[in-house]
Structures are given as structure tokens and as C-alpha cells.
Amino acid sequence: MTPETITAPIALSASHVSKAFGTGAEKVVIIEDLNLDVRAGDVTCLVGPSGVGKTTLLRLLSGLAAPTSGQVSLGETPITGAVEEIAVVFQDYRGSLMPWMRVLQNVAFPLEGRGIAKAERLERAARALDVVGLADSANRYPWQLSGGMQQRVAIARALAYESPIMLMDEPFGSLDAQTRFELEDLVLRLRRDMGITILLVTHDIDEAVYLGDRVVVFGGRPSQIVDDITVPLGRERNQLTTRAEPTFIELRTRILDEIQRRVLKPTP
């Protein structure tokens, strides 16, 4: 954990959480007795192979799914459903945008369900688009934008909720390397400028180390935390110089070793 957040309060937590699907002989336990605290103001990255339960945990923490046992909490308050304090950016950003709506309306539309007046919805949407660098694209349609710009729209939609916590599920997995770098730096700016707590799921080890104040490695079947790593790289990071630092290389190697050596094996 960084010096800035050693004493930061816990924003989001999972306590002895398990998640299973099915019953009887068909029952499959995905996550078992998992404990995780996410501190306010941190970027925490969850990394591990496909099928290990990262997205399932994200859904539990967001209130979009309920644990089979254990408790998920926002601060000290148990989460029993979706809450306004948590915004989610999904992997399938194209599927989440409505092609018949212009960008501004796409960002503003979900706020209608919260009973927010139209003028405020549009004002919030415009501010969010400005933050992600798309103020000039407000009147375009999603299909007129590149993949990276569409993902910025999805992030702007989450920002428009004005929630202090953002959960991101493989948000840049389908983008080219340069666009991915740009959006990674956008995530760091959001934390720096807006103080947002971010929990991000990724398969990309380099991305996890570059973005994270902390990297949590998932493994085993059922899934548990097999490593929990503080990233002592400071909060000001650069795509070229940070990735060349010996500490970056050391941590990347450690995580890769965990994945190759332990993650696909049952946790003792």
C-alpha cells in the first residue's frame, strides 16, 4: 500500500465470502472463504487466468450478485443490492452503448432511473465527457467513434453517476496497445484528480503492475487469494520509464511465476 493510503479507510470489503452455482451433485463452488479489503483512494488490480472468479467477485462487490455465504460491505454497511456509491464499467462497452442515441444521451440516460432531472442529467454527462476528453464528440453516435473512444464513453457514463468507487471489468482487453496505454493513464488521472477508488480486473500482468497500488492474484479451484502485492512505484507513473524500472520488472516476474506455478492448481 502506498504511504498516502496506509491509514485510508476501507471503502469496500468482502468477509469470508463464498459463491457457488447449482445444488447437490451439480454444485460448483467458484469462490471460497475469501477476504478482501479495498482502501479508499487506491487502485487495486485483480489478476488471474480466465475462469478463476475475478468477474464473479466484481459482481459480488458491486451488489449485482449475492454471495452464497459471507458478507460484502461498503465501508461498514452491508451491501444487499446495487448501490449508488459504486459505478461499474463492463468489458463489453460496445454492447452497453445504444447506437441510436448520441454520445451525450448515452452518458445521461442511466441517470434517469435515479430520478435525476433532465437538465442535471445532461450537465453531469457533459462534465463527464469533458473529463475523458470527448467534449467535442457529444453529438456523435457511438458507431461513429473508434473502440477507444467508445470505451471512454463507457467510462464517462460511470463518472456521471458521481460515485466514489469504480469497478472495471477487463475494460481495455480488446483495444490496441497505444489506445490501451492512453486509457490506463486516464484511469490514473481519475484517481489523482477525483480521488476515485478503483478496483480493476485484468488478465494483463503489466497493466496490473502499472496501474495498481496493489495487485491481488487469484488462484485455485475454488478461487482464493494466492498473493497480495503492494506496488511501491509511487503515484506518478509513465508508460516508458515506469515499465523499465527494476521494481516493475521484479513484480511482473513474481506475479507471472505465481500464475504459472500455483494459480491453475488447487489451493492447499
Side-chain angles (χ1 to χ4, degrees):
M1 220 160 293
T2 62
E4 297 94 329
T5 57
I6 287 175
T7 59
I10 294 171
L12 192 62
S13 65
S15 178
H16 299 289
V17 162
S18 297
K19 181 63 177 178
F21 296 97
T23 58
E26 302 296 321
K27 182 177 179 180
V28 178
V29 181
I30 305 299
I31 295 171
E32 186 171 57
D33 196 29
L34 184 140
N35 295 287
L36 177 67
D37 292 333
V38 178
R39 292 197 175 270
D42 268 1
V43 176
T44 301
C45 293
L46 307 181
V47 66
S50 297
V52 82
K54 302 183 303 297
T55 295
T56 297
L57 178 60
L58 209 70
R59 291 179 60 81
L60 297 175
L61 290 170
S62 67
L64 296 176
T68 305
S69 62
Q71 181 173 286
V72 176
S73 301
L74 177 69
E76 297 182 357
T77 304
I79 294 176
T80 57
V83 293
E84 293 187 1
E85 291 86 352
I86 300 174
V88 183
V89 178
F90 296 102
Q91 181 177 3
D92 183 15
Y93 56 88
R94 290 185 177 90
S96 70
L97 300 178
M98 289 161 282
W100 61 89
M101 282 188 176
R102 297 184 188 273
V103 165
L104 183 67
Q105 282 69 40
N106 258 288
V107 175
F109 177 71
L111 299 176
E112 185 174 354
R114 293 189 173 182
I116 298 172
K118 183 177 180 180
E120 184 179 349
R121 295 200 304 268
L122 294 176
E123 182 181 346
R124 284 196 191 187
R127 286 201 304 267
L129 286 171
D130 185 55
V131 169
V132 301
L134 287 180
D136 293 340
S137 298
N139 290 318
R140 300 173 71 183
Y141 291 98
W143 48 267
Q144 294 177 308
L145 306 179
S146 67
M149 294 172 76
Q150 289 182 43
Q151 186 59 305
R152 286 176 184 265
V153 175
I155 294 172
R157 175 185 280 179
L159 290 174
Y161 281 104
E162 298 185 353
S163 302
I165 301 172
M166 184 181 295
L167 308 185
M168 310 181 82
D169 186 11
E170 277 286 340
F172 315 134
S174 62
L175 302 174
D176 64 88
Q178 182 57 43
T179 302
R180 189 168 189 149
F181 289 166
E182 291 172 359
L183 292 181
E184 287 171 355
D185 288 337
L186 171 61
V187 167
L188 294 179
R189 288 199 302 275
L190 293 177
R191 188 272 300 278
R192 181 193 67 203
D193 297 343
M194 304 179 71
I196 297 174
T197 302
I198 297 170
L199 182 66
L200 184 143
V201 166
T202 181
H203 286 92
D204 189 311
I205 295 171
D206 283 30
E207 179 170 86
V209 177
Y210 181 74
L211 287 176
D213 299 301
R214 175 185 179 198
V215 178
V216 178
V217 184
F218 269 29
R221 293 177 179 172
S223 182
Q224 295 179 336
I225 294 172
V226 297
D227 206 352
D228 190 341
I229 302 167
T230 298
V231 181
L233 293 172
R235 290 203 161 180
E236 295 300 320
R237 302 184 186 181
N238 177 277
Q239 291 287 355
L240 293 177
T241 58
T242 300
R243 291 173 185 267
E245 289 188 26
T247 299
F248 182 98
I249 297 168
E250 177 185 341
L251 293 179
R252 180 183 61 191
T253 302
R254 171 177 167 178
I255 295 168
L256 179 59
D257 179 63
E258 287 286 359
I259 290 175
Q260 291 181 332
R261 179 171 57 88
R262 297 178 55 184
V263 169
L264 294 179
K265 299 177 182 180
T267 304

